Amino acid sequence: GEEMARKEFAAGAMARAVAESDGNKARAESLYVKLRFEELMRQLEQHEATNAIAKEQQRQHAIAKDFEQGIITCPKCGYHGLPAKKPRGYLPIGFILMFAYVVPGLLYFMYFNGYKGVCHKCGRTLISRINNGHRTIA
């Protein structure tokens, strides 16, 4: 409407409107409004799509930065921060197996060595292994 009042027309939309109106000025103006509206809607959709892509890239960058720093989000309680370290095995069970049956005790200590990452708030296991700086997400 503002473009019509100022007599400032978008060249492409006006050329198409004139071509489709067969020289009828009133019809050309009507077609121009319709064509210009469609053009502006396409531009708006492209702008929104570009913004959505940029926001997703920012979100992915933030997730990657958090992961590099070891920060995780608990899916159960929503805690966001570093996980607590908790031993993976239970030492008394390992010793009982070791004294009663040597081979199962050795296997227990080999399998349950290291630590696991748990949520500070709810205690849920978030990272199954923390060994030598390497992490395995649960």
Side-chain angles (χ1 to χ4, degrees), residues 57-130:
Q57 288 174 343
Q58 288 175 348
R59 189 182 75 80
Q60 291 293 334
H61 179 71
I63 289 170
K65 186 177 176 183
D66 284 351
F67 185 77
E68 287 174 6
Q69 295 174 353
I71 296 172
I72 51 178
T73 301
C74 178
K76 185 177 178 185
C77 69
Y79 169 77
H80 185 75
L82 293 171
K85 273 175 73 173
K86 183 177 177 185
R88 290 190 64 235
Y90 188 61
L91 202 55
I93 289 177
F95 282 125
I96 290 170
L97 287 171
M98 194 70 167
F99 290 125
Y101 314 100
V102 175
V103 174
L106 288 174
L107 292 174
Y108 182 83
F109 280 123
M110 286 173 49
Y111 182 74
F112 288 106
N113 67 341
Y115 295 90
K116 62 182 175 180
V118 296
C119 177
H120 275 285
K121 279 185 164 181
C122 66
R124 179 176 184 197
T125 299
L126 301 173
I127 302 173
S128 62
R129 282 186 191 267
I130 301 176

Side-chain angles (χ1 to χ4, degrees), residues 3-76:
E3 290 177 7
M4 296 289 287
R6 290 189 312 254
K7 301 279 187 203
E8 294 176 4
F9 303 107
M14 182 52 94
R16 186 170 169 199
V18 169
E20 291 182 15
S21 68
D22 298 326
N24 184 341
K25 187 176 179 180
R27 186 158 187 256
E29 288 180 0
S30 175
L31 277 172
Y32 173 79
V33 170
K34 177 184 173 192
L35 294 172
R36 185 66 175 139
F37 175 77
E38 290 172 359
E39 185 179 307
L40 290 173
M41 288 304 294
R42 277 193 304 275
Q43 288 176 359
L44 181 64
E45 288 170 0
Q46 289 174 349
H47 182 70
E48 288 174 352
T50 303
N51 283 345
I53 290 169
K55 284 181 183 179
E56 180 61 21
Q57 288 174 343
Q58 288 175 348
R59 189 182 75 80
Q60 291 293 334
H61 179 71
I63 289 170
K65 186 177 176 183
D66 284 351
F67 185 77
E68 287 174 6
Q69 295 174 353
I71 296 172
I72 51 178
T73 301
C74 178
K76 185 177 178 185

